[in-house]
Structures are given as structure tokens and as C-alpha cells.
Amino acid sequence: MGDETVTASAGTERVLTNMANAMVERGYNVIVATNDKTDAVPYFPFDARVHCLYLNVDTKKIPFSVKVKREINRIFPILDKPVEAYRASVSVRKLREQLKMDSIDCIIAYNHEAIQVADCFVHGIVPIIAMMHNAIRIIMGNCNRRVLAEKAKANVIQVLMPSYVAETRKYLPHTPVVWIPNVVEPVCLEKQAHPSAVKDRYRIITVGRIDGLQKQTHILVKAFASLAQQYSQWDVWIWGEVKKTDYYQRLCQFIEEQGLTGRVHLAGTTPAIQDELCQADIFAFPSAFEGFPLALTEAMATGLPSVGFRSADAVNELIVDGKNGILCEDDVSAFAQGLERLMKEPALRSAMGRQAVADMKPYYPEAVWNQWQMLIDEQIQQASRL
């Protein structure tokens, strides 16, 4: 159950699809309920056995009274988010029209906003597992007491990194918290990168939405601009969807002004990202924060050394500085230095890439889905004793 769209190509939507498909493969009857339009086409395909309910909530007009509450809440943030709360009530009504309570044994609230929907729908009768897809400080850092109280209604909170367990307990001290990471698919040898190979042209690649706040795409572009003349055989490939056209246009203008047209590629999206990763030599990841970055872990599983920021949540736990990649301080110059170190040392790229592959093995599907199955079954069994 989630309130986001399944039509997007982002990592969280991919997690939802992978989980639904894995659980139905293990014998569960899986229903995916989202607020999408009734004719939504998922970017990542679901197994035919997964039943999808598209509640068509986001198209419903927001009442004037709710808009007024939203404006008041911006000045005096004492309410739960009024618009989200209204949409949650609509979602609950539509769920009740389409689902019978006795057909549900457990609800996984796909994101933290969906907890409110799940709680109103089941009223404590069915256990709720709440997934936290981002860094905890981002999800909970600005929450008021009412919002935190809403999250505490989950029977258990699932987080993506070990350090997030203690961090979550600071906000929700009485709610059980478990660490289950996202799945990282193993990459066969034929599909792995060869970052030490001699080539006519070398590639720095990044994967993620074109964004200035979280993904900080401009940092990569500016860092490469400072290196481009000295390393004339290198190019940058940026794969990701465009959310803000003004930011994208500023990036394009900077690329043109720096004479990097044809060397910095804003390539858009592709369902065959693995083919692009295996052609690359370095993975650049200038995010400010992450929950569990699928793009980074997929690059590591492919055998690419990575460059990221020491302060970035999750990134600073997955990249082990000097072992499977390089962690930098938070500025363009430091990021450029990290890139350059790898650009000029093929043997280092190869050694870090091999270590990155080894470091991803604990996240392979069987281990992660076993953890999920155990958690789901435990929650169902506990509920049956009540």
C-alpha cells in the first residue's frame, strides 16, 4: 500500500514491484493499492499474479476548506498535513469499497505517508509494517508530535541501514524497529564492468533523477568541468528523469558554456541501465542523502568503484573509503579530486570494483526476501494470538 505512482522510474517504485513479485512467487496473495489513475501503466512490470488496485485519488479536487487548513498549517504547523490527511480519507473510503477486511492478513505501508491510510482502514485488527525509504532525519526530522504519533501506529518500522534503527528509536521510542535492506541483484561476470581496460574513451556514469537538492547533479558536472581538459579521453553519462526543467536548463547552459557538449551526456531514462553500467569505468554519486541508494548498489554489484560524499546518509555506509570507493568532503573541488584519483589509476579502479562486488553479496535477493518473509509471518502469527 502506497500513495506514490507506479508509473515512475525511480528506485522506490522499483522496490515496490520487486517486493510484490518476490512475495507472490513465495506463495502470498499480494494486492498492491496505490493512488494512481485507474489506467496507470507501471514502469516496472508486475507479475501477472499481483492484483493491482489503482484508487484514482490524486485526480480528486481538494476542497476549499482543506486548502485553508494547509495555508494555516504552513504558518502554525500544529496539524498533520491537511491535504495528505484528506487524500488518506478518500483512499480509505475507496479501499473499503473494493476490499474485504477478512481477506487481509498483513499490510505493508509502502511509505510512511501510507501508515495513516492503513491505520484508518484496519483499526488495529491487521498488523501494519511501515517501510522507511529515505534517511530517517529526512523523514522524521521536521515532524511534529501528531505526525510522529501517526507513524507510531505501525506495529513495526522497517529501515534500510543499520544506523537507522537507533536513529528511528529517538523519534519513536515505543515502536519496534527492524533493519532489512533493499535487494541488490547479483551481476553475472559477462555483465560486469572492466574499469581497468584500455579504451579509446572512458566513462564516468551516474544514475538518478536530475535534481539540485538531493541528487546534486550539478556537482558532478562542475567537478568534471575542472578535469575535462586534462583528461580528454573521459566523458560523463548522466541517466535520470527530469523533474525541474529550470534546473535542467541551467545544467545544459553550463555544459554548453564550458565547451562540454558531446562529452557530458544528459541521457534521460532507460530500462536497460545495466548495459550502461557495464560500459562505465567510474560511478559518481554526489547525493546529499539517501535511504538505500539502488543506483549506487547496482553500480557496485557491476564492479564499478564509486565516489560519494562522506556526509551523505547511507552512501557513507555503503562506500568504504579507500576500499570499494572514495568518500569526499562536501564540495566540488573534493569531488573532483576523488574522481581524478580514480581516473588516473586503472589498477585502483579495478581493485575497488572487485571489492565492491564482494561487498554487495549480503544484499542478494534470497537473504533479503527471507528476512521479509520471516517478519511478515511473525506479524501475522502475533495478530492471530490476539
Side-chain angles (χ1 to χ4, degrees), residues 191 203 205 239 270-280 302:
K191 283 285 189 178
R203 291 190 179 194
I205 189 172
W239 290 93
T270 174
I273 197 62
Q274 187 59 51
D275 294 338
E276 303 300 329
L277 288 171
C278 71
Q279 296 181 57
T302 304

Side-chain angles (χ1 to χ4, degrees), residues 10-47:
T12 47
E13 287 76 26
R14 186 171 179 183
V15 169
L16 170 63
T17 306
N18 286 347
M19 172 176 275
N21 293 346
M23 291 300 107
V24 81
E25 185 67 29
R26 288 177 174 235
Y28 292 89
N29 179 26
V30 178
I31 302 169
V32 173
T34 76
N35 286 341
D36 283 291
K37 296 179 181 179
T38 51
D39 59 351
V41 178
Y43 185 87
F44 302 105
F46 287 102
D47 186 297

Side-chain angles (χ1 to χ4, degrees), residues 289-355:
F289 58 88
E290 291 287 340
F292 184 98
L294 291 179
L296 172 62
T297 55
E298 288 171 357
M300 295 174 76
T302 304
L304 290 175
S306 304
V307 181
F309 284 132
R310 196 180 307 278
S311 65
D313 308 77
V315 176
N316 56 17
E317 294 183 63
L318 291 164
I319 297 178
V320 181
D321 188 34
K323 301 294 184 182
N324 59 25
I326 296 173
L327 291 174
C328 307
E329 301 307 318
D330 290 13
D331 60 57
V332 172
S333 176
F335 201 81
Q337 290 173 20
L339 290 175
E340 185 176 21
R341 183 181 171 192
L342 291 173
M343 291 164 80
K344 66 184 182 182
E345 295 188 47
L348 183 63
R349 295 200 298 270
S350 181
M352 287 186 172
R354 288 195 302 271
Q355 186 61 50

